[in-house]
Amino acid sequence: MTGFHEVRFPLRIALGTSGGPVRRTDIVSLSNGRENRNRRWHDARRRYDAGSGVRSVDDLYAVLAFFEARAGQLYGFRFRDPVDFKSCAPTNAISASDQRIGTGDGTTAAFQLTKTYQDTGGATTRTIAKPVAGSVVVSIADVAVPAGQYAVDHATGVVTFTAGAVPKSGQAVRAGFEFDVPVRFDTDRIDIDLAQFNAGRIPSIPLVEIAP
């Protein structure tokens, strides 16, 4: 990813942030009372306010130092969503069967990590480009694959099987993992008033998801 630093926003602050997925839908009300709805964005784009996770002057300084190291909006970075950061529910243990990421054809060795959100009404699949190092486990046809038989590119989220371990035709490829969200600061300015901070006013520090 161009202009991206493979570093994570301070975790203790990220866990207290507010925000989540944002979608863009056009809605036209018709004369008969019905609606026409059109999805403008294929995928959600997450937004966060890191200011809500700041609890002390030391936290504020950590954000400022991180902001300066990223040159404001110039460089993206990793951010852990406080709720959605696993291939499963946040309180569950990761399993190699959590998410189906593809089907073998006997020749394809590389598979992109994805996460699918679904119920009986519909489904949305999200590309996972920033898995956490050491967290990815993989299975083929519901059989766990030894770590030495595949490699994970933690900058892109692509899993590549070694020769001899390539999934055969029709075999389901699944994976479990932790992941970060690629984001950048959505401002080139952070206003700090220490007197107001001590009085309980926390500065807004907006973050926005960027495409992997």
Side-chain angles (χ1 to χ4, degrees):
M1 183 182 295
T2 302
F4 192 89
H5 291 169
E6 291 289 343
V7 295
R8 181 190 269 178
F9 187 81
L11 185 58
R12 70 179 185 275
I13 302 172
L15 293 177
T17 59
S18 60
V22 177
R23 288 191 172 272
R24 183 67 60 84
T25 307
D26 288 334
I27 301 175
V28 178
S29 297
L30 306 179
S31 59
N32 61 5
R34 297 181 182 277
E35 293 179 339
N36 278 340
R37 293 185 291 273
N38 180 56
R39 182 171 66 181
R40 292 183 61 187
W41 293 352
H42 183 271
D43 299 311
R45 192 178 191 190
R46 284 150 183 82
R47 288 185 173 273
Y48 306 94
D49 186 352
S52 59
V54 174
R55 296 289 182 267
S56 67
V57 173
D58 285 345
D59 286 348
L60 189 56
Y61 177 77
V63 172
L64 285 176
F66 194 87
F67 177 84
E68 290 285 22
R70 307 287 81 74
Q73 300 185 83
L74 186 60
Y75 291 99
F77 53 91
R78 289 172 172 259
F79 177 83
R80 193 181 113 166
D81 188 295
V83 174
D84 189 6
F85 61 94
K86 287 183 178 181
S87 54
C88 53
T91 58
N92 291 353
I94 292 171
S95 164
S97 61
D98 281 346
Q99 299 290 328
R100 185 164 184 158
I101 62 172
T103 303
D105 59 11
T107 57
T108 300
F111 295 83
Q112 175 69 53
L113 290 178
T114 59
K115 181 174 181 178
T116 300
Y117 305 83
Q118 63 183 345
D119 55 24
T120 55
T124 297
T125 298
R126 173 186 180 188
T127 297
I128 301 299
K130 299 297 179 184
V132 174
S135 72
V136 181
V137 288
V138 180
S139 67
I140 298 176
D142 296 322
V143 177
V145 179
Q149 294 184 9
Y150 64 92
V152 181
D153 187 335
H154 297 101
T156 64
V158 173
V159 175
T160 304
F161 293 95
T162 59
V166 174
K168 297 178 181 178
S169 181
Q171 290 185 319
V173 182
R174 297 179 178 272
F177 44 83
E178 289 188 9
F179 64 94
D180 294 320
V181 182
V183 302
R184 62 167 171 79
F185 287 101
D186 198 24
T187 181
D188 272 327
R189 174 178 176 175
I190 296 180
D191 290 320
I192 297 174
D193 184 325
L194 196 55
Q196 292 195 33
F197 177 78
N198 290 332
R201 182 181 179 276
I202 307 300
S204 177
I205 307 171
L207 310 176
V208 62
E209 183 177 10
I210 54 181

